[in-house]
Amino acid sequence: MDNSDNKMFQFLSKHLMGPMGKLAQLRIVRGVMAAGMASIPFTIVGSMFLIVSIIPQSFPALAGIWSASFDKLTSLYMIANTATMGILALYFCIVFGYEYTRIQAQEEKVNVNPLNGVLLSLMAFIMCVPEIIFKDGAMTLINVVSKNSKIIDGWEMGGGVTRLGTTGIFTAIIMSIIAVKIYTFCVKKNWTIKMPDTVPTGVVNSFMALIPTALIAFTVIIINGILVALNTDIFKVIAVPFSFVTNLTNTWIGLLVIYFLMHALWIVGIHGATIVTSFLTPIVLSNMAANQAGANIPFAGEFNNSFVTIGGSGATLGMVIFIAFFAKSAQLGALGKAAIVPSFFNINEPILFGMPVVYNPYTAIPFFLAPMASMSVAYFAIKFHLVNPPIAQVAWPTPGGLSGFIGSGGDWRAAVLALVCVIVAFVIWYPFIKFYDGKLVRDEQTNAVNA
């Protein structure tokens, strides 16, 4: 490794590893990561039922069969979609409230109960959901029933309560933070009702949360009241920065920056995918919901594992297949054969740490460039309507091709796009891995002579 390589890694370590490592340890970030992980089964299951309902759109020949069978049951089985994707903000609120309270209890050494944290978070969030206007000197719940809008007593309806879906995730997180902070503050200051030691634990916990519950309710009422008086509410306020960030991630340049950061972290030994995607989960889920309603947003659902990082971070599937069958060095050949099966399921830790990719100047450049190239191909293919956008969530280990096919609602072109992305990524990897393979062959021959 020459001096320029050392300088590159020193720069990345100083300006990325330190700040992002600290960011990943923030309590709020850990809570969001936990909520994102917990939401995975709900998004996948909900998406599967959605796919059943839209299969005839991808395969018109099945329309007659569907109209005589599944279409008659749509209202029944799509409840599963409403109860998962349709109320995803509630799941985020529950998990974040629990995890954030647990972290506070553990690290602040405060006697706060995670279950109480969940309930208080839910209360704070639900209080923000109804839409209220300030009219004729009074606060009034909105009632609008028209062709394009249905708001009944402040609750906007659209296949369920609209604000409990993906659009409510950030509001749920913010209100959970406020609720848990107030709860923790009250317990720290002993602003709780004390009960005798003989009283059951459940009763003690309930009464400990009584004063915090009242304070949280008053706080949320004040926040909502001020915002309504200003002709807005917390959902609309959050929508401003959320829309800015969402629009940034929905641009080609924005995605280039995201994938550069994700892989720059990996280069210096930090799991970049986990850190970066935890922030993006609410955005890709919201974009996926928008696609279901007719939008055409590439960065949605499982866009990442379906098209960009096929084989794992660095888009390494093609490279792994190559070294498994064509590498001349014993090291890469053995590594490729061991890693090839996991790579088909987007698991490539054996490559990242066995090759290694981490802190390796010979693989750093393609590790950056390959996913950025595959992302570009997929982004423009979807942007120009050559392939349907992701409308359904699939499990991230789903093999490339199948993942894109399912996620797009059965568009065969998505499977072809995934294959093209694999080839594009491999074209970038090829000269670098060929050179690295040659170097290892020479090193092995030298070691054999010395031995």
Side-chain angles (χ1 to χ4, degrees):
M1 187 184 299
D2 61 31
N3 193 46
S4 62
D5 293 325
N6 278 318
K7 287 182 178 179
M8 181 187 74
F9 290 120
Q10 287 170 6
F11 176 84
L12 291 175
S13 295
K14 180 180 179 181
H15 296 283
L16 272 178
M17 187 174 183
M20 294 301 288
K22 292 177 181 176
L23 185 65
Q25 291 305 309
L26 290 177
R27 295 167 185 171
I28 292 173
V29 174
R30 282 184 280 159
V32 172
M33 290 171 68
M37 293 295 291
S39 71
I40 290 174
F42 299 103
T43 58
I44 292 175
V45 170
S47 295
M48 292 302 101
F49 285 97
L50 175 66
I51 289 172
V52 171
S53 71
I54 64 168
I55 280 179
Q57 296 178 25
S58 301
F59 303 98
L62 298 175
I65 297 174
W66 249 245
S67 63
S69 55
F70 289 105
D71 288 353
K72 297 181 183 297
L73 302 173
T74 300
S75 295
L76 175 65
Y77 67 75
M78 279 300 286
I79 291 175
N81 181 270
T82 303
T84 49
M85 289 294 297
I87 58 169
L88 201 59
L90 283 182
Y91 296 119
F92 263 78
C93 187
I94 290 169
V95 179
F96 181 87
Y98 183 94
E99 189 67 14
Y100 194 50
T101 308
R102 186 192 65 78
I103 292 170
Q104 295 284 335
Q106 187 176 16
E107 298 182 7
E108 293 283 338
K109 308 300 180 186
V110 184
N111 187 27
V112 288
N113 185 285
L115 182 58
N116 282 342
V118 169
L119 298 175
L120 294 170
S121 298
L122 281 172
M123 179 193 73
F125 172 53
I126 295 297
M127 286 179 68
C128 296
V129 173
E131 297 184 51
I132 303 171
I133 57 171
F134 188 64
K135 185 178 180 181
D136 299 328
M139 298 286 184
T140 307
L141 288 167
I142 296 177
N143 275 285
V144 176
V145 178
S146 64
K147 183 179 180 180
N148 299 320
S149 181
K150 184 164 62 176
I151 306 175
I152 302 170
D153 290 336
W155 297 79
E156 184 180 4
M157 311 300 294
V161 180
T162 305
R163 286 187 162 187
L164 296 184
T166 54
T167 56
I169 290 176
F170 278 106
T171 301
I173 291 171
I174 289 173
M175 298 316 297
S176 297
I177 293 170
I178 292 172
V180 173
K181 283 293 187 183
I182 292 175
Y183 176 33
T184 305
F185 178 80
C186 288
V187 173
K188 276 185 175 180
K189 297 294 183 181
N190 289 318
W191 293 359
T192 57
I193 297 175
K194 303 293 183 181
M195 301 294 289
D197 294 338
T198 55
V199 176
T201 303
V203 177
V204 172
N205 288 334
S206 298
F207 275 87
M208 278 189 70
L210 189 58
I211 293 176
T213 301
L215 278 176
I216 291 166
F218 280 120
T219 301
V220 177
I221 287 171
I222 292 169
I223 293 172
N224 288 345
I226 293 172
L227 292 175
V228 171
L230 296 173
N231 198 32
T232 186
D233 61 28
I234 192 166
F235 276 82
K236 295 172 184 174
V237 170
I238 291 173
V240 176
F242 177 71
S243 296
F244 173 76
V245 175
T246 301
N247 291 336
L248 185 64
T249 61
N250 291 339
T251 65
W252 177 61
I253 297 297
L255 289 179
L256 284 177
V257 172
I258 286 171
Y259 281 100
F260 173 80
L261 287 174
M262 189 185 298
H263 290 83
L265 288 169
W266 259 125
I267 287 290
V268 291
I270 294 180
H271 201 307
T274 298
I275 295 175
V276 176
T277 56
S278 65
F279 292 102
L280 301 175
T281 297
I283 293 174
V284 293
L285 291 176
S286 181
N287 288 346
M288 185 173 72
N291 286 343
Q292 292 169 6
N296 185 60
I297 305 172
F299 193 58
E302 201 52 64
F303 174 82
N304 180 51
N305 286 302
S306 295
F307 304 113
V308 184
T309 58
I310 298 176
S313 293
T316 56
L317 179 60
M319 182 269 285
V320 169
I321 294 173
F322 173 78
I323 64 173
F325 297 104
F326 302 105
K328 295 180 179 178
S329 69
Q331 177 183 330
L332 288 187
L335 183 64
K337 290 178 176 62
I340 191 168
V341 173
S343 289
F344 276 107
F345 299 93
N346 301 322
I347 299 169
N348 70 342
E349 275 75 6
I351 290 293
L352 296 179
F353 298 103
M355 183 172 279
V357 168
V358 175
Y359 285 108
N360 188 342
Y362 297 99
T363 58
I365 292 176
F367 190 72
F368 283 116
L369 292 183
M372 294 166 78
S374 57
M375 177 279 295
S376 300
V377 171
Y379 175 85
F380 288 112
I382 295 172
K383 197 73 174 176
F384 294 140
H385 300 276
L386 300 177
V387 176
N388 290 342
I391 60 167
Q393 187 75 6
V394 294
W396 66 265
T398 306
L402 181 61
S403 176
F405 177 77
I406 295 173
S408 63
D411 185 359
W412 63 269
R413 296 171 300 178
V416 175
L417 174 60
L419 178 60
V420 171
C421 288
V422 170
I423 294 171
V424 168
F426 173 66
V427 168
I428 291 175
W429 269 104
Y430 179 76
F432 295 93
I433 200 65
K434 186 76 173 172
F435 178 83
Y436 187 48
D437 183 42
K439 175 190 176 298
L440 292 179
V441 168
R442 291 190 296 273
D443 289 346
E444 289 168 0
Q445 291 173 345
T446 300
N447 291 335
V449 170
N450 292 338

